Amino acid sequence: MSFWEYLVNRHQQLLTDAYQHVSAVFQCMVIATVLGILIGIVTYRSSWGGSLAITSTAAILTIPSLAAIGLLIPLVGLGVPPTVITLTLYGLLPVVRNSIVGLRGVDPSLVDAAKGIGMSPIARLCRVELPLAWPPILTGIRVSTQMLMGIAAIAAYASGPGLGNEIFRGIASLGSANAINQVLAGTLGIIILALLFDAAYVLLGRLTIPRGIRV
């Protein structure tokens, strides 16, 4: 069976796997983004606090993703839970690092001006600092998403959702007629989804970043 014939015959399952892959990555990125920005807000004013946050989240990436999922299986079982926990933890570093860098890069004179007109600390953060720090934060989110698109494929090891199931099924049946088609379909699907996500972030940047501060 040719690769094209395989896609036609298996398109329903491939679309289901692709949807589950996108859903898992998107939901975990939302959680990682919220947590990452909050960590950045709490730690960016402190030199040691920022360093601790970046070092701690960087240490997570030193753990092989397959090992991390394997260690979580006895604790939370198979399926979605180990997938969500692993992807969320792996997605933190770029968001935390860029949040800290972005917030520290805001011109202090602008913050002082906001303070001078009576803005509260929360108002300064929400209306001045975070909007100006948004470009690097969005870059961190983009980098993190690209990482998670690939890492999510490993979730199939723990019966997780996504296109990784195609890849693992193909690897497990190497030598069979459709083994290469399965691996290729899963791999190309992840690449295409990653490119679509990145295009969406480019559009989001154009909609949310004022032209004057775009880089």
Side-chain angles (χ1 to χ4, degrees):
M1 182 185 296
S2 70
F3 180 61
W4 177 250
E5 290 173 332
Y6 177 81
L7 292 180
V8 172
N9 291 337
R10 297 274 297 176
H11 73 277
Q12 193 62 50
Q13 182 61 51
L14 290 170
L15 288 174
T16 299
D17 287 340
Y19 171 77
Q20 292 176 345
H21 202 98
V22 167
S23 178
V25 171
F26 176 77
Q27 292 178 61
C28 292
M29 270 312 307
V30 170
I31 299 171
T33 297
V34 172
L35 290 176
I37 292 176
L38 287 175
I39 293 171
I41 290 172
V42 170
T43 61
Y44 83 100
R45 294 183 186 278
S46 167
S47 177
W48 70 267
S51 297
L52 178 63
I54 292 173
T55 302
S56 300
T57 51
I60 295 171
L61 293 183
T62 65
I63 305 172
S65 54
L66 188 60
I69 292 174
L71 291 171
L72 286 169
I73 290 175
L75 300 176
V76 298
L78 297 169
V80 174
T83 301
V84 171
I85 294 171
T86 301
L87 292 183
T88 300
L89 291 176
Y90 275 72
L92 284 175
L93 175 60
V95 182
V96 170
R97 181 181 57 205
N98 283 35
S99 295
I100 292 172
V101 170
L103 288 167
R104 286 178 176 174
V106 175
D107 189 342
S109 64
L110 296 176
V111 179
D112 290 339
K115 187 186 300 184
I117 62 174
M119 277 191 181
S120 66
I122 296 296
R124 292 197 300 272
L125 177 67
C126 295
R127 298 177 63 182
V128 178
E129 293 176 279
L130 280 176
L132 291 174
W134 176 239
I137 292 174
L138 182 58
T139 299
I141 296 171
R142 287 177 65 182
V143 171
S144 186
T145 302
Q146 298 304 304
M147 288 170 43
L148 296 196
M149 290 301 296
I151 295 173
I154 307 298
Y157 170 76
S159 301
L163 288 166
N165 288 295
E166 282 290 314
I167 298 173
F168 273 79
R169 282 195 292 264
I171 293 174
S173 60
L174 282 177
S176 66
N178 285 319
I180 299 301
N181 288 336
Q182 288 176 308
V183 174
L184 190 58
T187 302
L188 290 178
I190 290 172
I191 293 172
I192 291 170
L193 292 178
L195 292 174
L196 291 175
F197 257 107
D198 202 56
Y201 283 129
V202 171
L203 178 60
L204 179 63
R206 291 187 177 275
L207 293 175
T208 59
I209 300 174
R211 185 175 299 176
I213 60 174
R214 287 181 194 166
V215 294

